[in-house]
Amino acid sequence: PPPAPPKKEKAAEAEKAPASSSSEEDQEAMAQKVEDLRIKGNQAFGRKDFSAAVSSYSLAIRLDGKNHLALSNRSAAFAALGNFEKALEDAQQVVKLVPTWAKGYSRLGAALHGGGQWAEAARSYKAGLDLEPENESLREGVAAAIRAVQEATGEDPVWLRENLL
C-alpha cells in the first residue's frame, strides 16, 4: 500500500472537505436547546416565577439572538416584573425581526402602556390590529390606552381616537 500522507496533509484535506452533516446536527441540537429553554421559561412564567422565566429566555436569546418567540416572551416577563424599559427593548427587537407578527405589536403596546406612554401604546396596538383586525386583545389594548390618556388628562383624547379609528 502507498504510504499514508503526512499529518499536515491530512489536516489540509479535512479543511477542504465539504461540511459534514455534523454542522447540521449541531444547528439542530442548538435549535432544540433554545426551544427547551423557551419551554422552561414558559413553565416558569405559568408559575408566575417571572425572574426564572427571564433567566431561561435570556439563555435562549444568548444562543439565538433572533428568536422572536423568546424575545417576545421575555418582554412579557419583564413587563410582569414591572421592568417596562427592558420589556420595551425586547418588544422593539421583536417588531424589527418580524414586522408582520401582530403579537409583537401587542408586546410593544403593553411595554409602552406600562411605561406610561399611552398614546404610543395605542398606536402600537393599532399597528397590530392592522395585521389582525379581529384580534380582541389588540382591540382591548387600544381601548385601555385611550382610557389611560383620558384619565391622565381629564379630557377625551379625540385627537388620538381620530388618528387611530
Side-chain angles (χ1 to χ4, degrees), residues 20-59:
S20 68
S21 65
S22 70
S23 162
E24 288 177 23
E25 290 170 5
D26 290 347
Q27 288 177 344
E28 288 176 17
M30 183 67 72
Q32 187 59 55
K33 178 73 173 164
V34 169
E35 183 62 11
D36 291 346
L37 286 164
R38 196 177 66 77
I39 289 169
K40 185 177 175 186
N42 292 350
Q43 292 167 341
F45 193 99
R47 294 189 311 271
K48 298 189 184 318
D49 187 352
F50 303 118
S51 293
V54 165
S55 294
S56 292
Y57 298 138
S58 294
L59 288 172

Side-chain angles (χ1 to χ4, degrees), residues 44-93:
F45 193 99
R47 294 189 311 271
K48 298 189 184 318
D49 187 352
F50 303 118
S51 293
V54 165
S55 294
S56 292
Y57 298 138
S58 294
L59 288 172
I61 292 162
R62 207 169 295 144
L63 296 174
D64 178 3
K66 294 184 188 247
N67 188 302
H68 70 283
L69 298 174
L71 282 161
S72 173
N73 292 353
R74 187 171 74 173
S75 176
F78 275 134
L81 290 168
N83 189 339
F84 299 109
E85 188 175 317
K86 290 284 191 186
L88 180 59
E89 289 173 17
D90 282 351
Q92 288 170 328
Q93 186 65 23

